[in-house]
Each structure stands twice: as C-alpha cells, then as structure tokens.
C-alpha cells in the first residue's frame, strides 16, 4: 500500500444495520490505492460490494445504517470516514465527482439540464450565473452534446440515453475533480453509444489529468480502459494486477471463472437441407404509429414506422438472431409476429395464417409460441408461488390434466431448468436474477411450444449467470426441438446463440445472413459500424474466454 496515493483504502470493512446485534458485514477488509491520473477498475458481479465501496468513499450511505468495523479511506491524506459533513460537502463534486449508472434517475426531472449543470459551479466555484452558464455551455460542447445552447434549456426526458449520460459527465467535470468515480456508466447504452462514452471518458481523463475509478462487471470495457484492475467477490478483494497481466495470467479461480464466462460459440451448425420446414413465415409486416399534435383535435402530423415492410422466415429448430440498437424495431417486430402488437402483413405459423385469425381462434394456438422477457422480476407475479406461476399455463392450455398430473409436469420441467422441488412454494422475490429467469423459462417450456421469442433474456444478468442461462437455452432447444427468435443488442450473445442473424435499423432489415459470414464479412456500413464499435470494446473477449478455459 502507498499512503502517498491520491486515494488510499486500507483494510476497509462495511456493515449495515442500525444496531450492533443485527449488523451484516458486506465488505471485508479490502485495501487498494489509486494514484493521481490513474484509471483503476473495480470489477465483480452483482452483490460483490463494488458500488457499496464506491459510495463509502463519498460517504453517501445512510449514516444511521452504515458502520465501518475496520479500515480507513484517505484522500490526499484526509481521513474521509471521520471527516465532518461540511468538509465532506466541499469535497463532493469539487475534489471527487461521481457518475451513476442510470442518468435518468440521477437527473432531476423537473429542472432543465442547464440549471442542474450550473449548480456545482455556483456552490463550489462561487461563479456568477452568467459565468456559470458560459462554463456549462463549454462543458456541453466539450462532451459532444449537439446544439448546447438549445439543450441547455431542455429537460432530461427530452434527451436520449447517451445524451443524458454525457450531461452527467459534464456535470461531474464541472469543477475539475481530481478523482472521478464512474459506476457502470455504459450499462444501459447501445454498443455504439458505449464506445462514444468510453472514448469521451478517456479524452476527458487525459485533458483534466484526473484519476478514474471505473466500477463495472464488463471485462471487455475494462480491458480497453483501465490501467489496473481490482476483482471483488462477495465483499472480498480477491485479486489486483495491471490490466494486461490480469488478462494474460489470472491467478484467482474467481478471476479465471469471470474470464471463462464470456460467451463463446454455443450453437452447432444448422443443416438447412435436413431441416427444410419453415415454421414461421412473414411477409410485408408493417407497424406504423401516428404522431398527433393539438390540444383538442389531435391532427396527425407524422408517422413513426417502427416496422416497415419486413419479410422473415424461421426454420423449425433454428435460432434466428435479431440485432440492432434501441429504437430499431426489434421488440416491436417480435410482438407483431406473435400477434401481441397490431400490424399489417402476412404471418403464417406452422401452415396456419395468424394475421387474419380472430382473437378467439388465436387463443388456443398461443401455447405454441411463447415469450421470455428481459426482466424476469417484472414478468413474474409477486403474489404467486413458483408452482402457481409455472402451472398457470397448464390450467389454461391443458385443462384435461388433473392436479397430480400438473404437479408431476411442474416437477419435471423444474428439474430441466436446474431448480429444486423445495423451491415450488417460494415467491419470486426470494430468488436471484438467474433463478428468476430459469423460472420464466420453465413457465414457457412446460407448454411444449414450437417457438419462443427471447427478448434480451440475459441482459440483466451477470456474466457467469448469463452463460449458464444461454447454455440452458441451447440444451432445451436440442431436447425439445424449439425454434428461437433471439432479440438482443449484445453482439457477443447473438454470435454465441444464433444460426442466422438479421440486423435492423429504423424498422427495416439492412442485412441478414448466417452468423459467422455476417460477422466476418459484413456488407452494410451500419453492420460494419456496429461490429467495429463492438469489437473495439469486445474483440478480446473470445481470446480471454479461451485463456480462462486453459487455466
């Protein structure tokens, strides 16, 4: 340890609980340094203690609930844990700034971004409002916000996710901090926007000569950005090393497991000659939304073409990946194909036309095409037990089964997705994210569907859990001969899971082809840009995964 470091954390333990007899320790005696101008990454899965540690640096926990049994946090030799609140306020924002994961919840929705940008300048720099506005406009321009003069008066909801994150970065840099803490700053962003934000952080770090503490679970991001890496697991700091050294020779089994969890090719090649049956055939799919203005008469002024004249075929037993950025129309197309969203065009499923079927005739067919959603917690009823959730579809689609037969089927599918019988009487909130997604998969598998729409099924999961769920989906596909429509913006996952890939942009297909051909020889400039942005932050993931397997 180097006590002359900009930030020196020594033997820090963190516990929560108002009273001594019921405190729970979540971080256990961790030590690390950050030098001036250094980029350090704190890496680990959900619950490892990364964010808890970062929030402790700025003392942002509830003081009545948090307790520090051991350790100290020195910033320029000042002990932050014992610093009076007025002195801490002077450090927050000015000496140490923080960017949070979700900018929409970090920005105040009732104030224009300009008002929020000038606040730290007024408080810490004692600037006049005019000088603060000039500085704020410079920061907006510096961080790549288009038309900063106009955006100054915009509200957060009027900006895109990438623009809101740029505003958060501008706000954090307003007072030229010596240390910037970035807590998962790109998690909710598309791959091209991720790259832009990462490059912006690198440029700002060089220009302001500040240290950066990056908190993330994305190893590809870390490999590109950080000078050194600290790996956390269940509140312990299990390994720290320079970035290149850690990726080339990881020492701790958990670090090796993380590297080994990066998605690699999971699918076996699909034989189209041996499997010529087209399960889903769609032609001329259109889903347009009118844009209306006016207080009373609501005159239509424009049309949003969410899906525009799309043709698609999916073979029995095949996985078709649909990739694109937010707003490209991926999910809307999936909902249209399953008649969960109003659209026009021809949809044929297993020889039956769905597009002209009335709802009453469509309902009995729905067990054949099911959906697994992005967030299992919001898609599972919190008032139902796991047995009720998994068995609900059986009561509707298999009314001939008695209670004992339903229970036997539930137990069988529970075993297939890797869960235990003892879990049947518990509720969704009692499970981890990965377990909840297994429950969501069991709920659809039990109906023996021919097609499952997987809408970003692993984007909310940690990398090791993500790989487990992907391997489970492959296993179930082979066992039950299911076709998958796999929607994602994560190109690593799409490449690992898909036989063919469709690239969407602005409601249309810009390119489609077999997976490896599309990845190795993309034709369309948009596909090339997507892959370039992805590979710049992720190209090492496959090598790293192979390296992890060798340890």
């Amino acid at each position: 340890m180097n006590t002359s470091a900009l930030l020196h954390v020594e033997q820090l333990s963190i516990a929560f609980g108002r009273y001594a007899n019921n405190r729970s320790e979540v971080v256990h005696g961790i030590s690390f340094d950050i030098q001036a101008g250094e980029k350090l990454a704190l890496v680990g899965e959900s619950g490892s203690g990364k964010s808890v540690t970062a929030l402790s640096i700025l003392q942002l926990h509830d003081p009545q609930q948090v307790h520090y049994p051991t350790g100290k946090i020195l910033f320029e030799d000042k002990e932050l844990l014992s610093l009076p609140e007025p002195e801490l306020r002077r450090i927050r924002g000015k000496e140490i700034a923080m960017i949070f994961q979700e900018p929409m919840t970090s920005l105040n929705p009732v104030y224009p971004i300009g008002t929020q940008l000038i606040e730290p300048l007024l408080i810490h720099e004692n600037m006049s409002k005019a000088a603060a506005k000039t500085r704020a406009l410079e920061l907006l321009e510096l961080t790549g916000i288009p038309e900063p003069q106009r955006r100054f008066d915009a509200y957060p909801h009027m900006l895109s996710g990438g623009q809101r994150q740029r505003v958060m970065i501008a706000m954090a840099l307003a007072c030229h901090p010596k240390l910037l803490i970035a807590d998962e700053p790109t998690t909710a962003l598309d791959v091209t926007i991720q790259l832009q934000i990462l490059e912006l952080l690198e440029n700002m770090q060089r220009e302001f000569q500040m240290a950066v503490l990056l908190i993330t679970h994305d190893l590809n991001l870390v490999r590109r950005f950080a000078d050194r890496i600290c790996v956390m697991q269940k509140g312990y700091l299990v390994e720290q090393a320079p970035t290149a050294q850690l990726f080339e020779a990881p020492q701790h089994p958990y670090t090796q497991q993380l590297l080994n969890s990066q998605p690699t090719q999971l699918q076996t090649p699909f034989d189209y000659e041996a499997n010529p049956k087209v399960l889903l055939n769609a032609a001329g799919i259109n889903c347009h939304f009118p844009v209306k203005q006016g207080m009373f008469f609501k005159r239509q002024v424009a049309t949003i073409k969410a899906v525009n004249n799309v043709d698609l075929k999916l073979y029995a037993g095949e996985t078709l990946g649909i990739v694109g950025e937010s707003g490209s129309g991926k999910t809307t197309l999936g909902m249209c194909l399953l008649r969960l969203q109003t659209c026009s065009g021809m949809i044929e499923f297993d020889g039956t036309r769905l597009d002209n079927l009335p709802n009453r005739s469509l309902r009995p067919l729905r067990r054949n095409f099911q959906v697994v959603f992005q967030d299992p917690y919001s898609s599972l009823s919190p008032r139902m037990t796991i047995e009720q959730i998994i068995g609900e579809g059986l009561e509707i689609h298999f009314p001939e089964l008695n209670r004992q037969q339903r229970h036997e089927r539930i137990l069988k599918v529970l075993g297939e997705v890797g869960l235990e019988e003892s879990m049947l009487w518990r509720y969704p909130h009692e499970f981890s994210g990965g377990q909840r997604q297994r429950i969501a998969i069991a709920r659809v598998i039990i109906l023996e569907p021919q097609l499952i729409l997987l809408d970003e099924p692993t984007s909310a999961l940690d990398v090791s859990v993500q790989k487990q769920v992907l391997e489970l989906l492959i296993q179930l596909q082979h066992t039950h001969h299911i076709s998958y429509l796999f929607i994602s913006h994560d190109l690593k996952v799409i490449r690992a899971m898909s036989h063919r890939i469709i690239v969407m942009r602005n409601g249309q297909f810009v390119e489609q082809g077999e997976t490896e051909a599309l990845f190795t020889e993309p034709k369309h400039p948009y596909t090339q840009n997507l892959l370039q942005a992805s590979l710049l932050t992720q190209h090492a993931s496959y090598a790293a995964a192979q390296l992890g397997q060798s340890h």
Side-chain angles (χ1 to χ4, degrees):
M1 297 294 289
N2 182 1
T3 54
S4 65
L6 178 70
L7 183 77
H8 172 73
V9 177
E10 183 177 333
Q11 291 299 311
L12 179 68
S13 298
I14 307 170
F16 288 98
R18 187 181 292 268
Y19 304 108
N21 61 350
N22 69 348
R23 284 183 185 138
S24 173
E25 190 169 295
V26 296
V27 173
H28 316 287
I30 67 169
S31 301
F32 63 89
D33 290 328
I34 303 178
Q35 305 298 325
E38 184 184 26
K39 294 177 289 186
L40 178 74
L42 205 54
V43 173
E45 298 179 285
S46 299
S48 62
K50 309 183 303 294
S51 295
V52 168
T53 301
L55 292 170
S56 295
I57 294 170
L58 283 173
Q59 296 291 282
L60 294 177
H61 296 298
D62 181 350
Q64 294 185 325
Q65 293 289 342
V66 72
H67 178 68
Y68 301 98
T70 65
K72 54 188 176 182
I73 303 175
L74 298 177
F75 177 74
E76 293 188 321
D77 296 328
K78 295 190 202 72
E79 171 54 273
L80 298 182
L81 293 180
S82 59
L83 213 60
E85 184 63 25
E87 289 188 48
L88 272 173
R89 286 199 202 105
R90 282 194 286 272
I91 289 175
R92 292 180 190 136
K94 181 172 175 61
E95 304 287 336
I96 306 175
M98 189 161 184
I99 303 168
F100 295 94
Q101 181 172 350
E102 179 44 69
M104 193 59 184
T105 56
S106 305
L107 294 168
N108 193 320
V110 300
Y111 290 109
I113 63 165
T115 303
Q116 299 181 61
L117 261 173
I118 67 173
E119 185 179 14
L121 296 169
L122 298 175
I123 293 171
H124 293 297
E125 303 292 335
N126 294 319
M127 285 187 175
S128 66
K129 282 193 175 181
K133 181 175 181 179
T134 301
R135 174 64 180 149
L137 290 172
E138 289 173 359
L139 286 165
L140 288 177
E141 187 170 0
L142 192 66
T143 51
I145 297 286
E147 302 177 85
Q149 188 73 45
R150 188 165 69 87
R151 300 292 185 187
F152 187 86
D153 296 316
Y155 289 86
H157 72 273
M158 300 165 73
L159 305 180
S160 69
Q163 288 172 336
R164 285 195 290 265
Q165 197 61 289
R166 288 172 185 270
V167 170
M168 288 298 298
I169 293 171
M171 196 179 302
L173 298 178
C175 299
H176 299 287
K178 296 174 183 175
L179 172 62
L180 176 66
I181 301 172
D183 189 359
E184 301 275 13
T186 63
T187 298
L189 304 176
D190 290 318
V191 61
T192 51
I193 309 299
Q194 279 185 3
L195 180 63
Q196 293 170 17
I197 295 299
L198 195 65
E199 289 177 339
L200 174 62
L201 281 173
E202 286 180 319
N203 293 337
M204 296 299 99
Q205 187 266 339
R206 280 194 299 268
E207 181 164 338
F208 290 94
Q209 289 296 300
M210 63 186 174
V212 178
L213 174 60
L214 176 68
I215 297 159
T216 184
H217 64 268
D218 189 337
L219 288 169
N220 307 301
L221 195 73
V222 167
R223 184 163 196 165
R224 174 186 163 90
F225 183 80
D227 301 318
R228 282 192 307 119
I229 301 173
C230 293
V231 181
M232 290 192 70
Q233 180 192 23
K234 297 179 180 177
Y236 293 94
L237 206 161
V238 297
E239 185 168 359
Q240 54 180 309
T243 301
Q245 179 183 320
L246 186 133
F247 272 86
E248 288 167 10
Q251 300 300 307
H252 195 275
Y254 178 69
T255 311
Q256 296 166 10
Q257 178 194 331
L258 279 182
L259 292 174
N260 192 32
S261 296
Q262 300 298 300
T264 53
Q265 187 62 43
L266 298 173
Q267 279 289 15
T268 53
F270 190 83
D271 189 340
Y272 289 93
E273 290 185 5
N275 300 278
K277 179 183 176 182
V278 175
L279 180 67
L280 179 68
N281 185 22
I285 304 298
N286 289 289
C287 182
H288 297 172
F289 298 102
V291 178
K292 297 184 178 182
Q293 283 185 355
M295 188 174 293
F296 299 108
F297 297 106
K298 298 293 183 184
R299 180 170 55 89
Q300 183 173 334
V301 295
T303 300
I304 296 174
K305 297 180 179 181
V307 179
N308 193 31
N309 197 29
V310 162
D311 300 338
L312 175 146
K313 285 185 179 180
L314 174 67
Y315 292 85
E318 181 194 27
T319 298
L320 178 60
I322 304 176
V323 69
E325 297 178 285
S326 299
S328 61
K330 307 184 301 293
T331 298
T332 304
L333 173 62
M335 296 296 108
C336 288
L337 294 172
L338 301 192
R339 284 283 309 273
L340 296 172
Q341 170 66 53
T342 304
C343 65
S344 62
M346 188 276 290
I347 305 171
E348 185 179 70
F349 178 81
D350 199 17
T352 302
R353 286 283 294 271
L354 300 184
D355 53 281
N356 51 17
L357 273 184
N359 284 332
R360 181 174 294 181
S361 303
L362 183 65
R363 200 168 293 126
L365 300 177
R366 286 209 175 275
R367 80 167 188 85
N368 296 309
F369 39 89
Q370 292 289 304
V371 187
V372 174
F373 295 98
Q374 179 173 355
D375 181 4
Y377 194 64
S378 60
S379 63
L380 301 175
S381 171
R383 295 184 177 88
M384 295 170 69
T385 65
I386 302 313
E387 182 174 30
Q388 291 169 332
I389 288 169
I390 296 175
E392 185 181 21
L394 288 179
E395 295 183 32
I396 297 169
H397 293 290
F398 295 89
E400 70 277 8
L401 298 178
N402 61 36
R403 185 172 182 177
Q404 180 60 30
Q405 289 170 322
R406 285 199 303 272
H407 184 70
E408 288 172 1
R409 287 208 185 186
I410 292 168
L411 287 179
K412 181 175 180 291
V413 78
L414 205 68
E416 282 193 79
V417 299
L419 299 176
E420 299 171 0
E421 181 180 355
S422 60
M423 298 176 173
L424 282 179
W425 298 276
R426 292 160 62 183
Y427 291 85
H429 73 273
E430 299 179 72
F431 294 90
S432 69
Q435 288 172 324
R436 284 196 287 262
Q437 198 60 291
R438 288 173 184 267
I439 293 163
I441 292 168
R443 178 174 59 176
V444 302
I445 290 292
I446 201 168
L447 300 179
E448 301 171 358
Q450 296 170 267
L451 165 66
I452 299 178
L453 172 64
L454 299 159
D455 189 3
E456 303 272 12
T458 61
S459 64
L461 305 177
D462 288 318
V463 285
S464 60
V465 180
Q466 181 187 74
K467 187 173 183 181
Q468 293 168 17
V469 171
L470 294 178
E471 289 173 341
L472 170 64
L473 288 170
I474 293 289
Q475 176 190 327
L476 292 171
Q477 182 177 43
H478 293 164
T479 303
H480 298 280
H481 198 63
I482 306 169
S483 299
Y484 289 150
L485 273 175
F486 200 107
I487 294 171
S488 181
H489 69 268
D490 189 329
L491 294 174
K492 303 188 304 295
V493 171
I494 282 286
R495 187 174 192 173
M497 290 293 293
S498 304
H499 297 111
R500 282 188 301 131
I501 295 175
I502 289 170
V503 181
M504 281 194 80
R505 186 188 189 192
N506 298 333
Q508 295 182 309
F509 293 173
V510 298
E511 187 167 356
Q512 54 184 305
E514 292 191 28
T515 300
E516 287 310 306
L518 188 138
F519 266 83
T520 53
E521 295 183 13
K523 302 291 192 297
H524 196 277
Y526 177 70
T527 310
Q528 293 167 2
N529 288 340
L530 269 186
L531 292 177
Q532 182 187 24
S534 174
L535 293 171
L536 280 172
T537 56
Q538 299 170 1
H539 75 280
S541 62
Y542 295 98
Q546 297 303 322
L547 172 70
Q549 288 170 358
S550 69
H551 282 274

